[in-house]
Amino acid sequence: MNIQMPMPSATELTRRRKAAMVVQLLISDGGQLSLSQLPESLQEVLTRELGAIRLVDRGTVSAVAEEFLSAVDAIGLSAPGNEDAAILALADHLSPHLADRLRKQTASVRNGDHWPLITSLPNERIVAIMTSESIEVCAITLSKLSVAKAAEVLSLTPGDRARRISLAMSHTEKTSPEAVRVIGRGLAEDYSQTPPMAFERAPVQRLGAILNSTKSDRREEVLESLQNDDPDFASDVRKAIFTFKDIIDRVKPLDVPNCIRAVPGEVFSVAIAAALQSEERLQASAEFLLENLSQRMSQQIREDATEVGKVKKSDGEEAMASVTNAIRELVDVGTITLREPDEEEEEEDA
C-alpha cells in the first residue's frame, strides 16, 4: 500500500528546515558555499535537516525562496560575523602591537579550535598550566600535545602532580569534543596572550643606552651605586654600555675603517688626542683604532692629534662620544657586529 504523506507548507516549516532548503537550492544552482566557516555544531544541524528533506512542491519552494530574498533585501549591514573575520577586517585600524598579536591568533585559530595556540607554547608556559589548572584540564592538555612534548612537560611537572595528571588521563576517553574545544579556548585566553609591554627594550638596554650618553663621572657614579644595590643588574648594565674605552675589546679589527668613515676628520682627531692624553684604557682604544688603519692614514691622524694639543675634558668626551655613536649606528643598521664582552676570554679558554 503506497501512502503519500502531505508536504508541509512554507508556514509550517521550521527556520532550520528552510535554511536547509535554501542551501540545497544554491548548491543545485552551482553555488559555492563556505559552510566550513560555520561552527561544527551548526554544520551538523544543517546536515541533519537537509537529510530529512525528500520532496517539496514548487509552491513551497517558491515561498521559501521569496522569504529568503526578502530577508536578504532587508539587511542594512553585513558584519564579519565571527572573531577571525573581525580581526582581519580591523587589523589595519588597530594599534600595531594589538594588530600583530591578533593576526598571530587568527593564523593559529581555525574553526574555533584554540588548541594550536596552546600546543605551540614553550614548555615553561605549559608547565604553568600543569601546576595551576584542575587535574582533569591538565590531563586533557597533556593529551593534546605531541608525544615528545608531553614527555618533556611531564618531566618538568612536580612528581606528585605529574602522577595525578597521568592517572586522570584514564578518565578523558569520554570527554566530548565540545568540552575539549571550550577548555582550549579558556586556556588560550589565560596563557597564550602576550602581556602588553610599556617599553620596547629591556631595562638593561634602556639604562645602558642612557649611560652611554652620560658624562663619564656620573656614569661611573651610577654604576658604582648599582653595584652596591644590585650586583647582577649592574653587571648586565656594564655589558650593555659601549663607550670609547670599550672599543678595543668589542670592535673587530676589520671593522675599524667603517667605524671612522662616518666621523668628521677633525672630530676624530680631537677624540684620538683626548684619548691619548687620558687613562690607560682610553689610550689603548685609541691605539687600537690607529693600528687598524692604513699606515699612511694612521700617521696623518697622529700628526693631526699632536697639532690639536691639550684637549679640554668636555671637548674630548664629546668627540669620543661622536666616535662611539657612529659605531652604535653601524651596529643598529647591521653593518657591523660587536663582540660580546666575554667573547675574547671564551675564545682563549677554548
Side-chain angles (χ1 to χ4, degrees):
M1 187 167 87
N2 185 17
I3 299 177
Q4 185 173 1
M5 300 295 292
M7 289 176 287
S9 65
T11 57
E12 296 174 325
L13 294 173
T14 64
R15 291 176 62 86
R16 290 181 175 182
R17 186 63 54 86
K18 291 177 183 179
M21 290 175 60
V22 170
V23 167
Q24 181 61 47
L25 283 171
L26 293 174
I27 292 175
S28 299
D29 198 37
Q32 297 294 322
L33 303 180
S34 299
L35 299 179
S36 61
Q37 296 183 5
L38 295 173
E40 290 189 358
S41 58
L42 291 183
Q43 295 181 50
E44 184 177 354
V45 169
L46 180 61
T47 303
R48 293 181 186 278
E49 290 292 336
L50 191 57
I53 298 175
R54 296 190 63 186
L55 297 174
V56 183
D57 62 81
R58 289 182 180 275
T60 301
V61 172
S62 297
V64 170
E66 289 178 5
E67 181 181 342
F68 173 72
L69 292 174
S70 297
V72 171
D73 189 56
I75 295 175
L77 173 68
S78 176
N82 63 70
E83 188 174 348
D84 287 358
I87 290 171
L88 293 175
L90 292 175
D92 293 337
H93 307 281
L94 302 174
S95 67
H97 178 272
L98 178 60
D100 182 61
R101 179 162 61 83
L102 293 179
R103 284 193 187 100
K104 291 178 180 177
Q105 176 178 317
T106 302
S108 300
V109 178
R110 288 291 179 267
N111 297 324
D113 182 11
H114 289 71
W115 281 105
L117 289 173
I118 302 300
T119 57
S120 63
L121 291 174
N123 289 347
E124 293 74 13
R125 292 290 289 166
I126 300 180
V127 170
I129 296 175
M130 297 292 109
T131 56
S132 304
E133 300 297 329
S134 70
I135 296 298
E136 293 74 15
V137 167
C138 293
I140 290 172
T141 302
L142 201 65
S143 300
K144 297 292 288 186
L145 302 177
S146 67
V147 172
K149 189 161 189 173
E152 293 175 0
V153 168
L154 199 62
S155 67
L156 295 172
T157 304
D160 180 62
R161 184 86 177 175
R163 287 189 292 272
R164 294 174 61 196
I165 293 171
S166 301
L167 179 61
M169 288 188 69
S170 64
H171 305 301
T172 61
E173 184 177 359
K174 296 183 179 180
T175 306
S176 69
E178 180 64 16
V180 173
R181 186 190 67 79
V182 171
I183 290 171
R185 182 182 182 89
L187 292 176
E189 290 175 353
D190 291 339
Y191 293 93
S192 69
Q193 303 295 333
T194 302
M197 306 297 290
F199 305 100
E200 292 184 0
R201 295 192 294 174
V204 166
Q205 295 174 316
R206 297 199 305 273
L207 183 56
I210 293 171
L211 293 180
N212 275 330
S213 302
T214 304
K215 297 294 184 182
S216 59
D217 291 344
R218 178 51 56 88
R219 179 170 58 244
E220 292 304 320
E221 178 184 332
V222 171
L223 288 172
E224 184 177 346
S225 176
L226 285 176
Q227 185 65 37
N228 294 331
D229 296 335
D230 191 338
D232 292 337
F233 183 59
S235 175
D236 291 338
V237 171
R238 284 188 182 277
K239 292 178 182 178
I241 290 175
F242 178 75
T243 61
F244 195 91
K245 66 181 181 181
D246 298 310
I247 289 176
I248 186 172
D249 294 326
R250 304 196 60 189
V251 174
K252 299 174 183 177
L254 292 177
D255 289 332
V256 169
N258 281 333
C259 292
I260 70 167
R261 194 168 290 132
V263 182
E266 62 276 12
V267 174
F268 188 67
S269 297
V270 172
I272 293 296
L276 292 175
Q277 298 167 17
S278 300
E279 60 177 278
E280 184 177 347
R281 290 277 297 170
L282 292 175
Q283 294 177 25
S285 286
E287 292 291 349
F288 170 79
L289 292 173
L290 294 171
E291 289 169 3
N292 287 285
L293 297 173
S294 68
Q295 185 175 359
R296 179 180 178 182
M297 181 178 290
S298 175
Q299 183 61 36
Q300 181 61 54
I301 293 173
R302 286 184 187 275
E303 292 176 2
D304 292 342
T306 301
E307 292 179 3
V308 168
K310 183 68 175 177
V311 180
K312 290 174 54 178
K313 184 176 180 180
S314 59
D315 293 340
E317 288 192 347
E318 183 177 347
M320 287 186 283
S322 296
V323 176
T324 54
N325 287 338
I327 294 174
R328 284 196 293 269
E329 288 177 4
L330 292 176
V331 173
D332 290 341
V333 299
T335 303
I336 66 171
T337 57
L338 297 177
R339 295 183 296 184
E340 291 300 319
D342 301 328
E343 185 176 327
E344 186 175 359
E345 295 180 8
E346 293 175 357
E347 291 176 354
E348 291 176 356
D349 292 341

